[in-house]
């Protein structure tokens, strides 16, 4: 999807759209020039053929606008045909106004300059050959441009110099404006490619961690089963030692917790393979997450704000969303602890076609405001440093986004997800 969007920003479709705007400007400018020459300067130009040519260009402009409104991809050969149509109409108008001696003949270079920024080398050569053929034809066949009756012999040359000046201004404006637009599209493309490369490196790291975690989970199952068997026997053997019994009970609870985590990892993997999301209301989903969060972090003081409208939303809960929310809450508790606070907040609401989950803390905040690129530069000193990366990867996989910003007494993480992706069909 990203590659397709990049091709639309800079390529045949971008050039065709630029030509459409340029064509509208050409129609307006040519109409004004013809009327000024015929009515104000009273040159004996063939008015009717010129207006017919401008009318043909206007009809083609309407067709081109309709074509751009269609979802079909614009092929390179189609863009070359658009350039050919513009060149033929311009050559037709130049034929009746002096041919190659018309100062506006250099406008034939504009399509070549624009094509060089968006088309392949063969297409550029085709456009250049078309403009070259048009120029050669206008050198040999044309209707001479009439010269106004003046009192001095240099009137024709003065008119030519004035036309060259106007042509210079028009060419400079067109090339400066439209090539700047194409260059901006190139810069945006480079930024997209850089972001895609960074996401690929991050996902590669996450995949490596997931592979290691799967192997570790498989290996841990055996020692955990052994400890689960031995700990009850040790408790029975030392039933009279109350303190040791409490420690052994704690160890047994922790082993059982580890086994539960391993079972959840296996269930998560199976859910990923089956691609069968779990249907839950948002209220049930959040409360199930909070129950597990309270077991993990019983010291946390959580404040929940859940809109009634959002609470009734039925979600096709994708695998990974629960872990993403738990990671954000866990990071919030760690951040608040740096300021000797245990308070965190969670709010959920609908905004248009989006579901937004906001996790707030009372910590020192991030090193820079609002930039995901520096989330890893928060003041948190503990943890593996992958919780936020996993949450961001989950958001992107669901066509959503994860953003951060500092507040007056901490920081907030905003997880925005499109309802079109995560809501049940009854909610679409």
């Amino acid at each position: 999807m990203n590659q397709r969007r990049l091709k639309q920003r800079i390529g045949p479709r971008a050039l065709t759209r630029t030509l459409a705007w340029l064509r509208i400007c050409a129609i307006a400018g040519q109409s004004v020039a013809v009327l000024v020459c015929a009515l104000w300067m009273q040159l004996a130009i063939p008015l009717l053929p010129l207006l017919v040519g401008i009318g043909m260009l206007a009809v083609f402009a309407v067709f081109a606008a309709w074509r751009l409104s269609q979802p079909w991809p614009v092929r390179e050969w189609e863009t070359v045909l658009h350039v050919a149509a513009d060149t033929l109409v311009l050559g037709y108008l130049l034929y009746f106004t002096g041919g190659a001696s018309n100062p506006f003949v250099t406008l034939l270079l504009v399509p070549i300059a624009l094509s060089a920024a968006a088309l392949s080398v063969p297409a550029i050569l085709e456009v250049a050959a078309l403009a070259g053929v048009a120029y050669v034809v206008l050198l040999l066949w044309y209707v001479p441009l009439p010269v106004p009756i003046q009192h001095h012999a240099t009137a024709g040359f003065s008119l030519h110099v004035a036309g060259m000046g106007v042509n210079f201004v028009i060419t400079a404006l067109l090339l400066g404006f439209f090539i700047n637009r194409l260059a901006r599209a190139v810069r945006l493309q480079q930024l997209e490619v850089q972001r895609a490369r960074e996401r690929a490196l991050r996902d590669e790291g996450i995949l490596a961690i997931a592979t290691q975690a799967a192997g570790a989970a498989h290996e841990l199952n055996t020692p955990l089963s052994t400890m689960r068997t031995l700990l009850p026997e040790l408790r029975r053997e030392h039933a009279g030692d109350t303190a040791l019994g409490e420690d052994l009970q704690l160890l047994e609870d922790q082993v059982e917790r580890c086994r539960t985590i391993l079972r959840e990892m296996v269930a998560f993997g199976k859910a990923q393979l089956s691609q069968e999301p779990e249907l839950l209301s948002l209220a049930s989903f959040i409360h199930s997450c909070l129950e597990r969060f309270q077991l993990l972090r019983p010291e946390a003081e959580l404040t929940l704000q859940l809109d009634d409208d959002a609470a009734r939303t039925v979600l096709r809960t994708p695998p990974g969303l629960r872990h993403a929310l738990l990671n954000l809450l866990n990071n919030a508790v760690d951040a608040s602890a740096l300021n000797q606070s245990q308070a965190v907040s969670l709010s959920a609401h609908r905004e248009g076609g989006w579901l937004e989950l906001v996790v707030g803390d009372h910590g020192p905040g991030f090193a820079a405001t609002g930039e995901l690129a520096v989330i890893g530069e928060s003041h948190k000193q503990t943890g593996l440093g992958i919780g936020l990366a996993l949450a961001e990867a989950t958001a992107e996989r669901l066509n959503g986004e994860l953003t951060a910003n500092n507040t007056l007494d901490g920081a907030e993480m905003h997880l925005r997800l499109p309802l079109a992706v995560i809501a049940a069909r009854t909610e679409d």
Side-chain angles (χ1 to χ4, degrees), residues 29-246:
Q30 291 165 359
S31 301
V32 171
V34 169
L35 294 177
V36 167
C37 291
L39 302 181
W40 183 56
M41 302 180 65
Q42 296 184 348
L43 295 177
I45 58 176
L47 184 60
L48 181 59
L50 293 175
L51 293 179
V52 170
I54 296 174
M56 290 189 298
L57 185 61
V59 171
F60 183 75
V62 173
F63 166 77
W66 170 83
R67 172 63 186 87
L68 286 172
S69 66
Q70 304 304 309
W72 319 316
V74 178
R75 306 297 182 184
E76 193 171 66
W77 61 266
E78 190 175 353
T79 303
V80 173
L81 288 180
H82 282 235
V83 174
D86 294 330
T87 302
L88 289 175
V89 172
L90 179 59
Y92 172 85
L93 297 177
L94 291 172
Y95 170 80
F96 288 103
T97 55
S101 63
N102 190 315
F104 291 98
V105 73
T106 55
L107 290 176
L108 290 171
L109 296 174
V110 174
I112 302 176
L114 296 178
S115 301
L119 301 182
S120 63
V121 173
I124 298 171
L125 294 177
E126 292 173 3
V127 173
L130 183 62
V133 170
Y135 187 83
V136 171
V137 170
L138 292 173
L139 277 174
L140 303 176
W141 297 281
Y142 60 91
V143 177
L145 187 66
V147 180
I149 300 175
Q150 299 288 347
H151 297 291
H152 51 83
T154 60
F157 180 74
S158 298
L159 180 62
H160 184 81
V161 171
M164 290 177 62
V166 175
N167 177 56
F168 175 81
V169 173
I170 293 175
T171 304
L173 290 176
L174 292 178
L175 293 180
F177 177 73
F178 288 106
I179 291 183
N180 178 264
R181 289 185 59 186
L182 292 174
R184 182 174 179 270
V186 171
R187 290 193 296 269
L188 291 176
Q189 177 185 8
Q190 293 173 345
L191 290 176
E192 288 283 357
V193 171
Q194 182 179 356
R195 293 192 189 100
R197 186 181 297 112
E198 292 174 354
R199 286 194 294 267
L201 291 174
R202 182 206 61 197
D203 293 343
E204 184 178 351
I206 292 174
L207 180 60
I209 293 173
T211 303
Q212 293 293 331
H218 179 73
E219 295 178 6
L220 285 175
N221 188 53
T222 299
L224 286 176
S225 298
T226 303
M227 286 187 286
R228 186 169 179 265
T229 303
L230 292 178
L231 285 173
E233 296 180 2
L234 290 174
R235 279 205 304 144
R236 285 193 298 269
E237 292 177 2
H238 302 277
D241 192 336
T242 304
L244 180 60
E246 292 177 353

Side-chain angles (χ1 to χ4, degrees), residues 374-396:
V374 295
I375 279 183
E377 299 177 11
S378 66
H379 297 282
K380 178 181 173 182
Q381 301 295 327
T382 61
L384 298 178
I386 63 172
L388 292 177
L390 293 173
E392 184 185 7
T394 299
E396 291 183 356

Side-chain angles (χ1 to χ4, degrees), residues 236-301:
R236 285 193 298 269
E237 292 177 2
H238 302 277
D241 192 336
T242 304
L244 180 60
E246 292 177 353
D247 292 340
L248 292 175
Q249 179 64 49
L250 177 61
L251 287 175
E252 191 174 349
D253 293 340
Q254 294 300 318
V255 168
E256 189 62 34
R257 178 60 188 156
C258 291
R259 285 173 53 84
T260 302
I261 293 175
L262 290 179
R263 287 195 296 268
E264 289 179 353
M265 289 176 62
V266 173
F268 174 74
K270 291 180 178 179
Q272 285 282 64
L273 293 175
S274 63
Q275 296 297 319
E276 294 180 0
E278 182 182 8
L279 292 179
L280 285 175
S281 67
L282 178 61
S284 300
F285 169 73
I286 288 182
H287 286 300
S288 67
C289 291
L290 295 186
E291 288 178 2
R292 180 173 174 182
F293 174 67
Q294 291 294 343
L295 291 175
L296 293 173
R297 307 298 295 265
E299 75 279 8
E301 300 172 2

